[in-house]
Amino acid sequence: MDGLHTERLEAGRAPAAFATAMAVPALVDPFGRAITYLRVSVTDRCDFRCVYCMAENMTFLPKADILTLEELDRLCSAFVARGVRKLRLTGGEPLVRRGIMTLFASLSRHLRCGRLDELTLTTNGSQLAKYAEEIKAHGVNRINVSLDTLDPEKFRAITRWGSLDQVLRGIDAAQAAGLQIKINAVALKGVNDDEFFHLIEWAHGRGMDLTLIEVMPLGDIGEGRLEQYLPLSMVRAGIAKRYHLEDLDYRSGGPARYVRVAETGGRLGFITPMTHNFCESCNRVRVTCTGTLYMCLGQEDAADLRKPLRASESDDALFAAIDEAISRKPKGHDFIIDRRHKRPALARHMSVTGG
Ligand code: SAM
Ligand code: SF4
């Protein structure tokens, strides 16, 4: 089925979104925040089963519910027409979606005509050796690779199904192709908390930024969050005992706060949804592979964009649904992990909305 979509995408369908692009206003939510960043989960499937992200036995969505590559292109293009300047493809694992390179190829037209500043990707790295050159050829310059440990045994324990060696080969290939890499590592108590210095030296030694992420209470994963949760305020204090950390104004377009590690010269980011709420500057929304738009990562409220997308060739109904959804974007989330809140704050997994 994807082969068919591939052909149609390559035929270069002119999205209806552009016919009305000049006439439609930018997306601004009720709190005055302009929505300029869309994260798109192109599949809920993955070749890993990270312990903080998925249960080992996941039930994935039926194929009929999932937007085709052509529909994903049309949806992304509608957001671009409405002022989105940055698109991130994520998942599940975006590079396991069959035919995914055709989506990169078709979306890259927005980079060439200057409507889009950045097309990027968050990946577990397992397929990078295969795709890095092609990704770069489609105009992608920077990617995020998730890697929580440099210890092969621990890597296997965290990802359940993954191979560290394969990911490291993918990182080598991506750097050889000229892609800039940011490594994302989830801080896990008792798992990788003895490795942060090693991760910093390894990433910075290879010219890569490193960002540490607090584990978030998303989805039932079959074990307690409290056991995994490690506040980054504590991690930062520990790192600051060995290194000089200089606060930076640098922002990568995301919620990370960065410091420069004086000893390595590299950048270290902290994403702290639990200890520091970053919602006031939120510029993003997320759409799933079924076309469900989540206005906030940490809230249940969502809008179905698949229905208006499939209802007509015109994008009018789609634009109306997007406007209505953005008018409901909440002020922020209220994640809590403590002894009284051991259940997930939200039923859906991170692999549904994408990281
Ligand atoms: N499979 C790709 C990957 O791992 O990079 C993209 C999707 S994954 C859901 C995106 C990011 O979300 C990864 O960096 C992952 O570590 C992070 N993540 C998943 N579940 C999380 C959770 N419960 N709390 C914090 N980060 C999480
Ligand atoms: Fe897959 Fe990424 Fe979730 Fe790990 S974090 S299970 S690689 S989607």
Side-chain angles (χ1 to χ4, degrees):
M1 199 154 101
D2 277 326
L4 205 158
H5 303 137
T6 304
E7 277 169 35
R8 294 181 70 187
L9 277 176
E10 281 173 349
R13 174 188 181 276
F18 284 90
T20 43
M22 302 315 290
V24 285
L27 297 170
V28 179
D29 80 359
F31 304 95
R33 297 171 298 192
I35 307 306
T36 55
Y37 183 4
L38 177 69
R39 297 170 78 111
V40 188
S41 176
V42 298
T43 177
D44 62 330
R45 289 164 196 260
C46 188
D47 51 346
F48 292 2
R49 290 288 181 280
C50 302
V51 290
Y52 48 75
C53 180
M54 293 192 184
E56 187 151 21
N57 295 314
M58 294 287 287
T59 309
F60 293 109
L61 294 161
K63 223 173 172 184
D65 289 355
I66 293 179
L67 298 185
T68 64
L69 293 172
E70 187 186 42
E71 287 169 332
L72 282 169
D73 176 81
R74 196 176 143 205
L75 189 57
C76 292
S77 299
F79 276 94
V80 172
R82 295 298 307 276
V84 160
R85 308 277 324 168
K86 176 169 173 175
L87 276 178
R88 178 178 298 279
L89 304 192
T90 176
E93 174 47 41
L95 297 183
V96 302
R97 170 107 195 221
R98 198 141 51 93
I100 192 65
M101 285 303 119
T102 63
L103 184 61
F104 279 98
S106 67
L107 291 174
S108 68
R109 72 187 183 281
H110 300 309
L111 290 171
R112 287 193 297 277
C113 74
R115 281 188 176 277
L116 196 61
D117 295 329
E118 185 166 24
L119 174 61
T120 185
L121 169 75
T122 298
T123 175
N124 65 23
S126 70
Q127 308 301 312
L128 273 178
K130 185 170 162 196
Y131 289 128
E133 283 192 14
E134 220 177 318
I135 291 169
K136 175 73 178 145
H138 293 316
V140 175
N141 290 323
R142 307 189 297 173
I143 62 172
N144 290 355
V145 179
S146 306
L147 179 63
D148 306 325
T149 177
L150 291 165
D151 175 324
E153 307 273 300
K154 267 194 218 173
F155 186 86
R156 172 67 70 166
I158 293 171
T159 62
R160 291 193 184 105
W161 295 1
S163 144
L164 177 65
D165 195 47
Q166 191 179 343
V167 171
L168 293 179
R169 273 187 277 117
I171 290 173
D172 288 343
Q175 287 199 306
L179 289 165
Q180 254 176 275
I181 299 179
K182 176 161 81 77
I183 300 290
N184 283 339
V186 176
L188 298 164
K189 187 159 73 181
V191 179
N192 63 359
D193 45 0
D194 57 344
E195 268 197 85
F196 298 138
F197 294 117
H198 187 194
L199 278 166
I200 290 170
E201 276 163 27
W202 171 77
H204 291 177
R206 296 185 59 139
M208 304 185 291
D209 289 349
L210 172 70
T211 295
L212 300 176
I213 305 175
E214 275 173 356
V215 74
M216 287 177 263
L218 300 176
D220 200 340
I221 50 161
E223 51 193 286
R225 296 279 174 193
L226 193 59
E227 287 74 58
Q228 299 178 340
Y229 175 58
L230 182 61
L232 286 187
S233 46
M234 279 172 60
V235 173
R236 183 180 165 145
I239 295 172
K241 285 187 186 152
R242 182 179 302 186
Y243 294 136
H244 290 92
L245 306 181
E246 300 153 12
D247 282 317
L248 293 175
D249 286 336
Y250 170 80
R251 300 301 290 265
S252 59
R257 312 281 151 137
Y258 284 91
V259 296
R260 165 104 39 222
V261 178
E263 288 78 359
T264 63
R267 266 192 304 245
L268 175 63
F270 297 92
I271 299 187
T272 54
M274 310 305 296
T275 51
H276 175 94
N277 188 310
F278 46 64
C279 304
E280 70 282 355
S281 58
C282 182
N283 60 351
R284 73 200 49 204
V285 289
R286 296 173 162 83
V287 71
T288 69
C289 57
T290 58
T292 304
L293 181 71
Y294 285 97
M295 288 73 83
C296 173
L297 179 64
Q299 302 281 356
E300 296 283 7
D301 192 25
D304 175 21
L305 300 182
R306 186 178 59 191
K307 205 167 164 203
L309 187 76
R310 289 186 172 170
S312 121
E313 286 266 302
S314 148
D315 285 336
D316 292 349
L318 180 59
F319 281 138
I322 292 172
D323 281 326
E324 198 280 322
I326 299 300
S327 77
R328 288 192 276 126
K329 183 167 162 67
K331 197 168 177 192
H333 67 71
D334 32 45
F335 292 142
I336 306 173
I337 298 181
D338 65 20
R339 295 198 180 277
R340 284 174 297 118
H341 299 82
K342 289 188 181 177
R343 303 296 309 150
L346 294 176
R348 69 178 190 272
H349 292 87
M350 191 76 149
S351 53
V352 173
T353 14

